[in-house]
Amino acid sequence: MTKLQIRFASPSDAERMAYLAEHFGGFKFEDWEIDWTRVGNNWLVAVVEGEIQGALQVVPSQPIGHIEFLLVDSEMGLLPRTRIVKALLYSAVSILKGCGSQLGCGTIPFDLPSYRAAVVERGWVPINQCEMMIQKVGS
């Protein structure tokens, strides 16, 4: 089995994270001129054989922490992709627990029904259907 490492993102991961966001995130970031070198302790990355294959934003807060923006290379097979998603999610939940969050909250794009099914299977409860909104607030 290939070694999978979950760690916090660093500015040196910017190029790969931008690529994942643009190609596999289901998010339309290309119009926003995001500076991915500014990632910090709120992003986890999944590293397989020295290359980032996935990322997830985790924002600890009390009483509700946030887990957002799953970015996973969808060109991988189902089993490696599933392994990465599980590892990122479990790591994010552990961080939220450790920071005192009582609930974890996240938004899943409508075009990722398998991701929705996977988290529901693991105890997440859909409470609403919505659109994710975004606004530029800084440079």
Side-chain angles (χ1 to χ4, degrees):
M1 181 172 283
T2 306
K3 184 179 177 188
L4 168 64
Q5 176 191 17
I6 303 297
R7 64 168 172 77
F8 286 108
S10 68
S12 65
D13 301 325
E15 186 175 336
R16 180 64 178 163
M17 290 183 67
Y19 177 83
L20 288 172
E22 183 178 333
H23 292 90
F24 304 115
F27 305 103
K28 306 278 188 232
F29 287 135
E30 62 271 6
D31 296 332
W32 297 92
E33 299 177 15
I34 305 254
D35 178 4
W36 286 97
T37 63
R38 295 172 63 183
V39 298
N41 293 353
N42 290 87
W43 283 89
L44 297 174
V45 293
V47 182
V48 179
E49 296 181 1
E51 184 171 358
I52 294 172
Q53 298 293 341
L56 184 65
Q57 185 184 54
V58 56
V59 183
S61 181
Q62 296 179 10
I64 302 170
H66 296 268
I67 300 172
E68 300 282 354
F69 301 113
L70 175 67
L71 311 172
V72 178
D73 187 339
S74 61
E75 292 178 350
M76 290 184 300
L78 178 61
L79 290 178
R81 196 169 62 241
T82 300
R83 185 171 164 239
I84 287 170
V85 170
K86 282 175 62 174
L88 286 167
L89 274 174
Y90 289 155
S91 297
V93 167
S94 292
I95 290 168
L96 293 184
K97 283 181 182 178
C99 292
S101 299
Q102 296 172 37
L103 295 174
C105 176
T107 305
I108 299 173
F110 292 122
D111 61 349
L112 295 176
S114 61
Y115 179 40
R116 181 189 185 282
V119 297
V120 167
E121 186 177 298
R122 286 164 180 76
W124 290 74
V125 178
I127 60 170
N128 199 348
Q129 292 197 8
C130 60
E131 293 180 307
M132 180 177 282
M133 307 300 274
I134 193 167
Q135 178 183 20
K136 185 88 169 182
V137 296
S139 55

